Amino acid sequence: KAGVTQTPRYLIKTRGQQVTLSCSPISGHRSVSWYQQTPGQGLQFLFEYFSETQRNKGNFPGRFSGRQFSNSRSEMNVSTLELGDSALYLCASSATGDDGNTIYFGEGSWLTVV
Amino acid sequence: QQQVKQSPQSLIVQKGGISIINCAYENTAFDYFPWYQQFPGKGPALLIAIRPDVSEKKEGRFTISFNKSAKQFSLHIMDSQPGDSATYFCAAPYSGTYKYIFGTGTRLKVLA
């Protein structure tokens, strides 16, 4: 069974640009969540989607957005990039996202903003 | 306040020794506590997890113990190996929030 797939793996963007990251969950998983990982802040929750609906959102500015498609694939977008957005963006999938569901991470997308 | 406190921040252990990492959670959390292992350049991978019906779970050299009254859980790595050198994260899901709160991570180095 294929794991969580994230693309692209690495990217460099300039301040002010926008970026879209993609995530394909494990087959059969309908919940997709996104986390930002930085050395200083650790793993921070961005948002979670289930059946194309955002069920929760973390404490990030509105520049961070996401969506989920009918096939459970998900994308996240960051607009007007800032230097501080440089991070590893991790996508995780679980069967339903409900309490006690294990989440499985992808390898992440490394974003560098210059 | 949804927070998971993890300690120590870093740990150096001799090969064959025992590595112990502790986590404490606050407020309401669903009783399911996974540990993730992350190697440089990789995403976190599920290592082992414990559910509320047991106070201890062992898988090979890895053991989780859970103390519900103290709101604490810990990871023990027995016979630590250089290949165990990685960053370890504990996590706790918060009921009805569809998210996990992660500890700040422990960087483990096992000396050969």
Side-chain angles (χ1 to χ4, degrees):
Chain A
K1 204 174 196 182
V4 178
T5 303
Q6 291 188 245
T7 56
R9 287 296 319 278
Y10 306 93
L11 64 168
I12 299 174
K13 291 287 187 178
T14 304
R15 270 182 301 175
Q17 286 187 313
Q18 66 118 23
V19 66
T20 299
L21 309 177
S22 181
C23 172
S24 293
I26 292 171
S27 178
H29 284 191
R30 298 172 61 193
S31 167
V32 173
S33 51
W34 290 87
Y35 290 80
Q36 181 196 63
Q37 185 176 23
T38 60
Q41 297 296 318
L43 282 148
Q44 300 288 317
F45 172 78
L46 281 158
F47 25 65
E48 190 266 358
Y49 288 89
F50 179 83
S51 290
E52 302 178 68
T53 299
Q54 185 184 91
R55 298 192 294 188
N56 198 2
K57 189 178 193 301
N59 295 324
F60 282 83
R63 300 184 296 106
F64 292 80
S65 63
R67 60 177 177 169
Q68 186 181 34
F69 302 95
S70 58
N71 61 359
S72 295
R73 194 176 66 84
S74 177
E75 289 180 347
M76 68 162 282
N77 184 79
V78 187
S79 63
T80 319
L81 284 165
E82 300 177 359
L83 295 178
D85 297 333
S86 295
L88 176 64
Y89 289 88
L90 292 161
C91 171
S93 78
S94 70
T96 66
D98 293 333
D99 293 343
N101 259 213
T102 302
I103 61 172
Y104 298 90
F105 287 95
E107 298 285 47
S109 292
W110 288 92
L111 171 65
T112 300
V113 182
V114 297
Chain B
Q1 177 92 15
Q2 299 171 347
Q3 194 172 1
V4 176
K5 295 181 179 178
Q6 183 173 345
S7 63
Q9 201 169 23
S10 63
L11 184 59
I12 299 175
V13 174
Q14 292 287 338
K15 180 182 175 181
I18 302 173
S19 304
I20 301 174
I21 305 170
N22 300 299
C23 283
Y25 61 94
E26 299 178 353
N27 295 333
T28 304
F30 186 81
D31 291 339
Y32 169 72
F33 301 97
W35 286 87
Y36 289 85
Q37 179 189 54
Q38 186 177 29
F39 293 103
K42 300 288 188 180
L46 178 69
L47 182 65
I48 186 173
I50 192 166
R51 293 193 181 273
D53 52 342
V54 294
S55 60
E56 186 175 283
K57 181 175 181 180
K58 184 176 181 179
E59 288 185 357
R61 297 183 294 108
F62 301 92
T63 301
I64 302 178
S65 59
F66 173 58
N67 184 331
K68 187 169 184 175
S69 60
K71 294 187 177 181
Q72 294 177 344
F73 55 109
S74 60
L75 173 69
H76 289 59
I77 306 175
M78 312 300 288
D79 186 26
S80 298
Q81 300 296 311
D84 297 331
S85 297
T87 301
Y88 293 81
F89 293 93
C90 59
Y94 278 79
S95 293
T97 66
Y98 312 109
K99 70 177 182 182
Y100 280 81
I101 302 296
F102 284 83
T104 50
T106 296
R107 184 172 291 183
L108 171 65
K109 184 175 178 65
V110 181
L111 302 176

